[in-house]
């Protein structure tokens, strides 16, 4: 809550009813921020850090003795800084390190300690996982499976959604569109399997197609009523009802 910048004004801008006009306050220039005696960054790490700080904090230049929080940094910007640090230098620093060493030179020293194992840890490489066999359940998937198999709460995990279409429907084009979405999004093709009581996730092939069950109500005299009944039944959670118009 300590101000990061101080701007001297002859008078505060006010609205017509006498309140502070925040939108009319001038933006602080580079000299308004609390700064140490400027010393240019040294080395590749400090230079890279200074560029990231300048972009996130909106300042023109950053010295090696400047403090991240004194220049306007806060906890949200700190998280963004660490994410940018991972992208630029391929290292991961704990948030506590930034709070303990908020000056540019000290933080750069922590980054430089990575090879010695005494500072940040190298960012792990993100590698694709094969889809040839069964996959372990995530924590969220495991919790959902427990609710379904033990708690009998499968209906609470479903998300029913209904559309009412008017006019002529190109059924083949509609099915192709659903199949295309089904093929593009792997999460829609995940299914639970439990061989020998051990649950796993299997990914259906992209060309499996989305199964759709159709209930034709066009030949019924009470088609309108039957359509609404179909929409609220359990079958309508994963099927289509069609009535003549």
């Amino acid at each position: 809550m300590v101000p990061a910048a101080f701007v001297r004004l002859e008078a505060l801008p006010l609205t017509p009813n006498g309140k502070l006009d925040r939108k009319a306050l001038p933006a602080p220039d580079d000299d308004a921020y609390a700064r140490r005696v400027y010393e240019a960054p040294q080395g590749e790490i400090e230079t890279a850090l200074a560029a990231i700080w300048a972009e996130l904090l909106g300042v023109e230049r950053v010295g090696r003795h400047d403090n991240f929080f004194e220049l306007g940094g806060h906890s949200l910007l700190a998280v963004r800084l660490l994410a940018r640090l991972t992208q630029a230098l391929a290292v991961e620093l704990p948030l506590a390190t930034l709070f303990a060493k908020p000056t540019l030179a000290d933080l750069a020293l922590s980054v430089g300690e990575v090879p010695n194992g005494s500072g940040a840890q190298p960012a792990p490489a993100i590698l694709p996982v094969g889809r040839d066999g069964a996959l372990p359940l995530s924590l969220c998937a495991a919790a959902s499976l427990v609710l379904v198999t033990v708690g009998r709460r499968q209906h609470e995990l479903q998300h029913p959604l209904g559309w009412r279409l008017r006019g002529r429907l190109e059924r083949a084009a509609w099915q192709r569109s659903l199949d295309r979405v089904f093929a593009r999004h792997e999460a829609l093709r995940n299914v639970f399997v439990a061989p020998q009581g051990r649950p796993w996730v299997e990914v259906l092939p992209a060309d499996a197609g989305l199964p759709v069950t159709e209930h034709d109500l066009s030949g019924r005299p009470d088609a309108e009523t039957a359509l609404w009944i179909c929409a609220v039944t359990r079958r309508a959670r994963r099927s289509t009802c069609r009535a003549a118009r």
Side-chain angles (χ1 to χ4, degrees), residues 93-179:
L93 279 177
L95 190 59
T97 301
L98 178 59
F99 283 96
K101 300 180 178 181
T103 62
L104 185 77
D106 289 342
L107 187 63
L109 185 60
S110 295
V111 175
E113 291 174 349
V114 172
N116 299 327
S118 57
Q121 299 298 320
I126 300 177
L127 302 175
V129 177
R131 296 297 189 263
D132 298 333
L135 302 173
L137 271 65
S138 66
L139 292 178
C140 183
S144 300
L145 186 59
V146 169
L147 291 177
V148 171
T149 57
V150 179
R152 305 297 181 185
R153 298 171 59 183
Q154 61 267 31
H155 301 316
E156 298 180 17
L157 301 177
Q158 296 177 359
H159 300 278
L161 178 65
W163 291 285
R164 181 158 187 158
L165 307 179
R166 299 181 184 275
R168 182 171 177 269
L169 174 65
E170 292 288 346
R171 295 165 61 189
W174 175 67
Q175 183 66 58
R176 287 196 303 270
S177 300
L178 294 178
D179 292 343

Side-chain angles (χ1 to χ4, degrees), residues 3-15:
F6 295 85
V7 180
R8 183 181 297 275
L9 301 175
E10 294 296 332
L12 292 175
L14 303 177
T15 62

Side-chain angles (χ1 to χ4, degrees), residues 2-240:
V2 178
F6 295 85
V7 180
R8 183 181 297 275
L9 301 175
E10 294 296 332
L12 292 175
L14 303 177
T15 62
N17 38 344
K19 296 182 179 180
L20 177 65
D21 189 353
R22 296 181 179 273
K23 295 182 179 180
L25 289 172
D29 57 23
D30 197 50
D31 295 330
Y33 291 91
R35 289 186 177 278
R36 312 294 175 90
V37 176
Y38 179 75
E39 184 178 345
Q42 300 177 6
E44 181 180 353
I45 296 178
E46 289 189 13
T47 302
L49 276 177
I52 297 174
W53 284 28
E55 181 179 351
L56 290 178
L57 300 173
V59 296
E60 294 181 4
R61 69 177 187 177
V62 177
R64 65 190 311 262
H65 300 301
D66 284 335
N67 186 297
F68 179 78
F69 300 103
E70 291 178 358
L71 293 181
H74 47 74
S75 57
L76 295 180
L77 284 177
V79 174
R80 293 179 58 188
L81 168 63
L82 297 183
R84 292 287 303 275
L85 189 61
T86 301
Q87 295 175 356
L89 302 178
V91 295
E92 287 186 348
L93 279 177
L95 190 59
T97 301
L98 178 59
F99 283 96
K101 300 180 178 181
T103 62
L104 185 77
D106 289 342
L107 187 63
L109 185 60
S110 295
V111 175
E113 291 174 349
V114 172
N116 299 327
S118 57
Q121 299 298 320
I126 300 177
L127 302 175
V129 177
R131 296 297 189 263
D132 298 333
L135 302 173
L137 271 65
S138 66
L139 292 178
C140 183
S144 300
L145 186 59
V146 169
L147 291 177
V148 171
T149 57
V150 179
R152 305 297 181 185
R153 298 171 59 183
Q154 61 267 31
H155 301 316
E156 298 180 17
L157 301 177
Q158 296 177 359
H159 300 278
L161 178 65
W163 291 285
R164 181 158 187 158
L165 307 179
R166 299 181 184 275
R168 182 171 177 269
L169 174 65
E170 292 288 346
R171 295 165 61 189
W174 175 67
Q175 183 66 58
R176 287 196 303 270
S177 300
L178 294 178
D179 292 343
R180 183 69 179 272
V181 173
F182 191 66
R184 290 186 60 182
H185 297 278
E186 187 180 85
L188 300 178
R189 295 184 278 110
N190 290 348
V191 295
F192 292 146
V193 295
Q196 300 178 351
R198 297 184 58 188
W200 296 89
V201 173
E202 282 190 359
V203 182
L204 299 177
D207 58 354
L210 180 66
V212 175
T213 303
E214 182 175 330
H215 303 279
D216 190 351
L217 309 176
S218 57
R220 299 180 52 166
D222 58 342
E224 188 71 21
T225 302
L227 178 64
W228 288 108
I229 294 176
C230 179
V232 298
T233 58
R234 185 178 304 176
R235 291 183 302 173
R237 297 178 186 272
R238 51 186 178 273
S239 60
T240 300

